[in-house]
Amino acid sequence: TQEQLQQQQQSPLKGYRLGVFWDHFVDSDPEVVEASWKAVETLQNLGAHVVNVTIPHLRELHLAHGVKILSEFAIAWDGAFHKTNVTLEANTQIMIAMGKALSATEAMAAEYVRTYGIHVVCRDIFRDQSIDAIVSPMLGLKVPKPTHGYRGYGESNTALVYQTMRYVPLANLLGLPGLSIPVGYEEDTGLPIGFQLLGDAWSEHKLIHLAKYLEAEMPRRRPPHFA
């Protein structure tokens, strides 16, 4: 009916359930959190329902992700690492060496943690609680400024990488679809602030639907001219 069509237009995200792990959500730069919170409010105004969720043992899942990345990186670059005619920057050499130092037991332990994460996130959250997407900031801080000398020598800063990638490991470790949307701009640099939608396996259509309506409501800056 005309009334139902009007209601659908006013609340295009009605029926969508969005999970927020609030303790994790707010663990970012205040400016990033503020822009992300406004994005959540916008999704609610569009009809989505926000549900409090908890992702247990998140630190262990992050560590498992690190073990997976380092071990796979070490295997992929093993040949170049031992060739005398190949030059690798210091940070790359450090990562390869760290991956090669991991034991088979540690690599298998990461696989067990990954399996646990699939059960908790995919089964207990997405399916049992009927969650369509877990939402969070995209980065754990504002875009970091490059340090002096990084262009010539690179940079090895594991703490910064972990902080920056704080919200990414679940998608990468568990093989789940994720989508990032600009929802604001940093006040001092003008760089965009990202907002992440994380979905269950094969739920890309839901993420795209959510992103379509959220992006339409977000402020968008355009350069005065394109190159």
Side-chain angles (χ1 to χ4, degrees):
T1 65
Q2 185 68 26
E3 183 179 353
Q4 290 175 324
L5 180 61
Q6 186 176 6
Q7 289 179 347
Q8 184 178 9
Q9 292 174 341
Q10 292 174 346
S11 303
L13 300 183
K14 183 178 180 181
Y16 275 81
R17 290 168 57 84
L18 307 178
V20 181
F21 185 12
W22 287 111
D23 287 345
H24 188 46
F25 188 98
V26 300
D27 193 14
S28 184
D29 184 273
E31 192 174 347
V32 175
V33 173
E34 181 181 0
S36 299
W37 167 240
K38 289 180 180 178
V40 172
E41 288 184 321
T42 299
L43 289 166
Q44 288 180 302
N45 292 336
L46 291 170
H49 178 62
V50 172
V51 181
N52 296 334
V53 300
T54 300
I55 305 173
H57 303 297
L58 194 56
R59 180 173 177 79
E60 286 72 18
L61 288 165
H62 285 189
L63 289 172
H65 177 252
V67 169
K68 289 279 293 176
I69 290 293
L70 288 172
S71 58
E72 291 175 6
F73 194 80
I75 292 174
W77 286 90
D78 183 67
F81 186 73
H82 290 95
K83 289 181 179 178
T84 57
N85 63 337
V86 176
T87 302
L88 301 174
E89 71 166 7
N91 179 52
T92 302
Q93 294 183 47
I94 291 171
M95 290 185 64
I96 296 172
M98 290 174 64
K100 291 173 68 66
L102 292 168
S103 67
T105 301
E106 289 168 323
M108 284 304 301
E111 290 292 344
Y112 282 117
V113 174
R114 178 176 179 269
T115 300
Y116 165 81
I118 291 173
H119 285 308
V120 168
V121 176
C122 298
R123 181 190 63 193
D124 299 348
I125 295 179
F126 283 130
R127 293 160 199 175
D128 290 355
Q129 298 185 52
S130 299
I131 298 298
D132 295 295
I134 297 173
V135 300
S136 71
M138 186 66 227
L139 300 182
L141 75 171
K142 295 166 61 175
V143 177
K145 296 180 180 180
T147 57
H148 177 71
Y150 85 100
R151 289 185 182 276
Y153 305 101
E155 180 181 2
S156 179
N157 192 335
T158 304
L160 179 61
V161 172
Y162 176 78
Q163 188 178 8
T164 304
M165 306 292 285
R166 188 186 307 277
Y167 300 100
V168 176
L170 282 183
N172 199 17
L173 177 66
L174 307 183
L176 299 177
L179 193 154
S180 176
I181 310 160
V183 294
Y185 298 88
E186 295 181 5
E187 185 175 347
D188 54 346
T189 66
L191 293 172
I193 296 173
F195 183 75
Q196 179 176 257
L197 303 170
L198 177 68
D200 196 3
W202 311 111
S203 68
E204 287 87 347
H205 61 292
K206 293 183 179 180
L207 302 185
I208 293 171
H209 185 77
L210 288 164
K212 171 187 174 182
Y213 287 98
L214 175 59
E215 190 172 37
E217 299 293 326
M218 292 292 100
R220 178 58 57 88
R221 297 179 185 175
R222 295 185 180 275
H225 61 273
F226 292 92

